[in-house]
Amino acid sequence: MYEGYLLKVGINTIPFDYLRADTYKVTYNGQDIDSYRDADGSLHRNAINHFVPKVEFNTPYLDNAQMQTLLRLIRSQYLDTVEKKVSVKCYVPELDDYLTQDMYVPDIEFQIFKADAEGNIIYNETRIAFIGY
């Protein structure tokens, strides 16, 4: 059941100020091992009981201070800085429940919307994702 937030990274809830809820996506990926189609074209699945979620969202336009605050919320919870591995608790609509799993943060691509000589930066919406192991 939904508890008023969509995503926690470690102990840090990602505030809605940094997460556009209308862009929040969760895929609850099932997995197969050695599934095959026979000579008649029938699929024989060997589904396993390990799901690999993928969570992604866009930020709104953020200034540099806001972006750095969001990134600190994530980076401060890294379990492995090389892998960018974190424990994520995410709301999964398919389950109407939360799932907690170790995930990694794929590379984030930043695009600047505006910068000026006074030291101000505004970032376009930025996609941030977490992918399960």
Side-chain angles (χ1 to χ4, degrees):
M1 169 182 298
Y2 178 69
E3 298 174 5
Y5 66 92
L6 294 171
L7 186 65
K8 279 188 180 183
V9 179
I11 61 170
N12 295 329
T13 300
I14 302 299
F16 286 107
D17 292 346
Y18 302 117
L19 183 159
R20 284 194 39 219
D22 64 325
T23 65
Y24 181 81
K25 299 177 188 176
V26 177
T27 307
Y28 190 54
N29 295 307
Q31 296 186 91
D32 290 40
I33 294 180
D34 299 330
S35 295
Y36 67 95
R37 290 200 181 271
D38 63 23
D40 294 325
S42 295
L43 177 63
H44 299 269
R45 290 191 64 200
N46 184 20
I48 62 172
N49 195 22
H50 178 72
F51 292 84
V52 181
K54 177 181 179 184
V55 180
E56 57 187 299
F57 66 91
N58 288 353
T59 68
Y61 283 68
L62 298 175
D63 66 26
N64 196 54
Q66 293 168 313
M67 182 63 78
Q68 295 310 314
T69 297
L70 173 59
L71 294 173
R72 274 192 299 277
L73 286 173
I74 296 169
R75 286 192 311 253
S76 69
Q77 299 302 301
Y78 280 169
L79 303 170
D80 183 316
T81 56
V82 175
E83 292 183 23
K84 297 195 253 181
K85 178 180 182 178
V86 292
S87 177
V88 173
K89 183 176 181 181
C90 58
Y91 177 69
V92 180
E94 183 176 341
L95 305 173
D96 190 27
D97 202 357
Y98 289 85
L99 175 71
T100 301
Q101 188 169 338
D102 286 347
M103 300 186 189
Y104 69 92
V105 181
D107 294 339
I108 301 169
E109 185 175 293
F110 299 93
Q111 183 177 357
I112 293 176
F113 171 71
K114 182 179 175 182
D116 62 33
E118 287 77 44
N120 300 306
I121 297 176
I122 304 292
Y123 294 93
N124 273 326
E125 293 183 8
T126 302
R127 177 188 164 272
I128 298 177
F130 302 88
I131 301 172
Y133 283 82

